[in-house]
């Protein structure tokens, strides 16, 4: 799995990059056919926004989350993506 991490109005530190990689590795446990992940971390005044687009075999998943803390926004994003990835996997196994 390749993670492309971009920051808008925020510097991507090593600790932030490691946190994102650790969280996305949890998604890979549920569905190992994740090809590519594009993550954008954005800061708008007091809002910290995390969004991600995941290319999967058989589709694509997108989610966005915002919070006053970037780490909390990433956690919320992972929760949303986790639910979507599981739903996508169930769709594939039904056919």
């Amino acid at each position: 799995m390749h993670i492309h991490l971009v920051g808008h109005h925020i510097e991507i530190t090593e600790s932030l990059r490691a946190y994102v990689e650790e969280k996305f590795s949890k998604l890979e446990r549920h569905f190992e056919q994740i090809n590519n992940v594009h993550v954008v971390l954005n800061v708008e005044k007091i809002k910290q926004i995390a969004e991600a687009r995941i290319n999967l075999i058989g589709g694509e998943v997108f989610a966005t989350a915002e919070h006053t803390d970037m780490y909390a926004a990433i956690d919320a994003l992972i929760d949303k993506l986790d639910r979507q990835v599981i739903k996508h996997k169930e769709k594939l196994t039904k056919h």
Side-chain angles (χ1 to χ4, degrees), residues 30-61:
H30 289 255
F31 192 68
E32 49 289 323
Q33 297 171 342
I34 297 174
N35 296 339
N36 202 342
V37 179
H38 184 77
V39 182
V40 178
L41 304 179
N42 194 356
V43 176
E44 294 178 2
K45 294 186 181 178
I46 60 167
K47 288 193 301 186
Q48 312 280 324
I49 303 167
E51 57 185 47
R53 181 174 314 277
I54 300 177
N55 293 326
L56 305 167
I57 293 182
E60 186 175 84
V61 174

Side-chain angles (χ1 to χ4, degrees), residues 49-80:
I49 303 167
E51 57 185 47
R53 181 174 314 277
I54 300 177
N55 293 326
L56 305 167
I57 293 182
E60 186 175 84
V61 174
F62 176 81
T64 184
E66 64 180 62
H67 198 275
T68 55
D69 176 47
M70 184 57 80
Y71 290 96
I74 293 168
D75 288 341
L77 175 70
I78 294 297
D79 290 343
K80 288 180 181 182

Side-chain angles (χ1 to χ4, degrees), residues 12-44:
I12 305 297
T13 61
E14 282 303 313
S15 62
L16 202 54
R17 181 177 301 281
Y19 191 76
V20 168
E21 288 176 0
E22 173 195 335
K23 292 295 181 177
F24 274 92
S25 69
K26 289 169 65 175
L27 284 181
E28 214 171 19
R29 283 187 240 145
H30 289 255
F31 192 68
E32 49 289 323
Q33 297 171 342
I34 297 174
N35 296 339
N36 202 342
V37 179
H38 184 77
V39 182
V40 178
L41 304 179
N42 194 356
V43 176
E44 294 178 2

